[in-house]
Amino acid sequence: MSGKLLIFSAPSGAGKTTIVKRILEKLSHQVSFSISASTREPRVNEVDGKDYYFISKEDFLHRVAKHEFVEFEEVYAGTFYGTLRAEVERIWNEGKHVIFDIDVIGGLRLKSKFPEQSLAIFVNPPSLEVLKERLAGRGTDSPEKLQERFAKAELELSYANQFDVILENNRLEEACAEAERLVKAFIEE
């Protein structure tokens, strides 16, 4: 295995997906998105094989037993997410670097498995209050699910200092420009 891993992690709603999409637009000739596998149901407009590989819990656990994941986690009770080894190899075989939009624990697991090949960036929201407003504003979660996300976000913020870089997302355009600069510098090392 060769190539580099560009890991973007943050609590849900911090802006990591938007930042990763911008990097993919600007650096598509050098980086490619790692599609995660998940046991959750697709949301409206999500496409299997583009947004996630949606697989059953049974299939997911069978693949775990066969060591087909480079990392995985039960992110919410009964809901698993993970990165398939074949997905990373597919991108590296294209001669590109892998970019991840991944939860905080998954990001740290990837960094620990590939310490020399990884740049782990924690996207920090302006505040927990702003994060809560963004999540509630999406209108995609029940009040119970929102409370679960808020509690998880508070915990995830405590892991920020374990990443290589904490990227402040106070102004999206500035955060995107800084993320692009960081990625370019790392892949050109």
Side-chain angles (χ1 to χ4, degrees), residues 5-183:
L5 306 176
L6 309 158
I7 303 163
F8 283 81
S9 295
S12 186
K16 71 181 179 298
T17 300
T18 302
I19 292 169
V20 166
K21 283 181 179 174
R22 294 274 183 91
I23 290 170
L24 284 165
E25 288 169 10
K26 299 246 179 147
L27 304 175
S28 61
H29 59 291
Q30 292 178 291
V31 300
S32 191
F33 182 68
S34 171
I35 302 167
S36 296
S38 178
T39 62
R40 76 163 170 75
E41 290 297 312
R43 292 186 184 123
V44 177
N45 298 328
E46 285 185 328
V47 177
D48 182 51
K50 179 178 179 278
D51 298 294
Y52 287 92
Y53 296 114
F54 294 103
I55 59 178
S56 70
K57 184 176 173 183
E58 294 72 27
D59 185 25
F60 193 101
L61 295 174
H62 179 72
R63 290 172 183 236
V64 167
K66 290 172 50 181
H67 305 287
E68 292 183 18
F69 287 94
V70 292
E71 66 78 31
F72 70 93
E73 180 188 5
E74 187 173 11
V75 174
Y76 298 103
T79 304
F80 292 85
Y81 290 81
T83 303
L84 289 161
R85 184 176 315 282
E87 179 69 1
V88 174
E89 290 172 352
R90 175 187 69 79
I91 294 167
W92 282 346
N93 287 337
E94 292 174 357
K96 293 185 177 184
H97 304 288
V98 186
I99 191 166
F100 295 86
D101 171 348
I102 190 169
D103 76 285
V104 171
I105 299 301
L108 290 172
R109 285 198 178 124
L110 279 171
K111 177 70 180 172
S112 70
K113 283 196 175 179
F114 303 95
E116 301 302 315
Q117 293 169 264
S118 300
L119 173 63
I121 299 173
F122 186 92
V123 178
N124 207 25
S127 68
L128 191 56
E129 291 69 34
V130 168
L131 193 68
K132 288 179 177 181
E133 289 170 15
R134 288 177 183 172
L135 289 173
R138 287 179 176 176
T140 57
D141 295 314
S142 67
E144 297 79 22
K145 190 68 167 175
L146 277 174
Q147 285 304 332
E148 185 180 7
R149 285 189 184 277
F150 296 159
K152 187 173 190 304
E154 286 188 64
L155 176 64
E156 288 176 325
L157 287 168
S158 71
Y159 290 102
N161 64 357
Q162 295 181 38
F163 284 76
D164 297 320
V165 177
I166 297 175
L167 178 66
E168 299 295 337
N169 187 13
N170 298 322
R171 292 190 180 92
L172 183 61
E173 293 308 316
E174 290 174 16
C176 288
E178 178 62 7
E180 184 182 345
R181 188 193 68 72
L182 290 164
V183 166

